[in-house]
Amino acid sequence: MAKIISIVNQKGGVGKTTTAINLAACLGVLERRTLLVDADPQANATSGVGFDPREVKASIYEAIINDMPATEAILATDNPNLDILPGHIDLVGAEIEMIDMADREHQLKRVLDPLRELYDLIIIDCSPSLGLVTVNSLTASDSVIVPVQCEYFALEGLGKLLNTIKIVQQRLNPDLAIEGMLLTMYDSRLRLANQVVEEVKTHFQQLVFDTVIHRNVSLGEAPSHGQTIIMHDASCKGAVNYLNLAREILQKNAMTRIPEHARTIPVAL
């Protein structure tokens, strides 16, 4: 039974898609069957794992709006144990098309629930907004990860996001939890970055992941090659950071044992 985790922040440029892609890839490397769901109309997660969104024949849009079974749109990636439910620019129109739907906030939950039996974890890359598609993602999820950039405006807008999560908990998904705050784009040489880390840890305490994602050239290069960091440069600091994050999440959710389906497969990292 898969756990569904949304990566969400309405601020752009905080490492949200980078986190979704590379966390999913690292969970796959750690022998967990993982599905990456691209719920962002920009479809950057789709291109980031090697697919051209313009050439994708079926996407999350068809699954939500046209009732296509999600299994017909899912694509296997070159990464071990990682599949993707691709995104598409058509998802922009889905916000409007869902307005008149009955139970409009639960459409993505309807799409993803049948997939829980097929995967160990499902990671949703949300769009940088708090629109209806993002609300659908939160309603469908068990928990959320909030990437927080180690820069001056780090805490700006977090209050609004946390309020949205609270509203979803009260009205749509009472079981929704905060998996953790993830500090991204950290540069230990900058005094400001260290101040932001301290401030976030002071504000949110146990909600902040121990793992911090450092600024890393390879993390920026990998998407231009249509590769996750594991496929692009598995020995770089960015890859090590995301592997540590994946391990931290598995430990937090008591998922550190080797899954039944992977017991005959030697694990090589």
Side-chain angles (χ1 to χ4, degrees):
M1 193 73 169
K3 178 165 190 174
I4 302 179
I5 303 174
S6 279
I7 315 293
V8 61
N9 195 325
Q10 79 273 26
K11 279 174 65 69
V14 298
K16 181 177 54 59
T17 299
T18 298
T19 294
I21 292 171
N22 294 309
L23 171 60
C26 289
L27 289 167
V29 166
L30 295 174
E31 300 292 347
R32 296 305 182 280
R33 296 168 299 186
T34 307
L35 176 67
L36 176 61
V37 177
D38 191 351
D40 185 347
Q42 297 177 76
N44 289 333
T46 303
S47 59
V49 294
F51 295 100
D52 186 341
R54 295 166 297 182
E55 296 179 3
V56 168
K57 292 183 172 62
S59 70
I60 188 174
Y61 173 84
E62 282 77 19
I64 292 174
I65 302 300
N66 299 333
D67 293 330
M68 173 188 281
T71 49
E72 294 182 18
I74 289 172
L75 301 170
T77 74
D78 292 335
N79 297 263
N81 302 305
L82 178 62
D83 295 339
I84 184 167
L85 178 55
H88 197 275
I89 189 64
D90 287 349
L91 206 54
V92 171
E95 295 265 347
I96 299 168
E97 293 178 70
M98 281 194 288
I99 286 176
D100 294 326
M101 285 185 177
D103 220 16
R104 63 187 181 185
E105 295 90 355
H106 291 83
Q107 294 306 308
L108 186 56
K109 179 177 173 62
R110 170 185 59 78
V111 169
L112 296 183
D113 274 353
L115 303 177
R116 285 183 183 264
E117 299 296 331
L118 304 177
Y119 296 95
D120 297 312
L121 289 123
I122 297 174
I123 305 296
I124 306 176
D125 181 31
C126 298
S127 62
S129 70
L130 296 178
L132 188 51
V133 174
T134 298
V135 170
N136 263 260
S137 299
L138 295 175
T139 304
S141 296
D142 299 306
S143 64
V144 298
I145 292 174
V146 182
V148 180
Q149 190 176 4
C150 293
E151 293 194 354
Y152 181 70
F153 292 113
L155 301 180
E156 187 182 78
L158 269 186
K160 185 177 180 183
L161 172 60
L162 294 173
N163 190 52
T164 299
I165 292 171
K166 187 175 180 180
I167 291 169
V168 170
Q169 288 170 328
Q170 291 172 343
R171 301 181 184 177
L172 299 167
N173 184 4
D175 297 323
L176 182 66
I178 296 178
E179 191 76 23
M181 303 279 184
L182 177 66
L183 291 158
T184 63
M185 302 182 189
Y186 174 66
D187 187 338
S188 59
R189 298 168 299 179
L190 301 178
R191 182 185 300 174
L192 177 60
N194 290 298
Q195 288 174 344
V196 170
V197 169
E198 289 305 313
E199 192 170 352
V200 171
K201 287 185 174 180
T202 299
H203 272 79
F204 299 106
Q205 300 178 3
Q206 299 302 315
L207 285 178
V208 184
F209 284 110
D210 292 332
T211 303
V212 175
I213 309 300
H214 291 72
R215 280 198 179 275
N216 181 249
V217 173
S218 293
L219 280 175
E221 290 176 346
S224 66
H225 298 280
Q227 294 178 326
T228 64
I229 195 62
I230 287 294
M231 300 298 284
H232 182 65
D233 185 358
S235 63
C236 73
K237 182 175 281 188
V240 172
N241 289 163
Y242 278 110
L243 273 170
N244 287 338
L245 176 64
R247 289 192 182 100
E248 189 174 345
I249 289 170
L250 293 177
Q251 288 170 357
K252 184 176 181 180
N253 289 282
M255 297 173 69
T256 51
R257 68 177 181 80
I258 299 175
E260 292 290 340
H261 63 86
R263 286 190 176 174
T264 59
I265 304 172
V267 178
L269 295 180

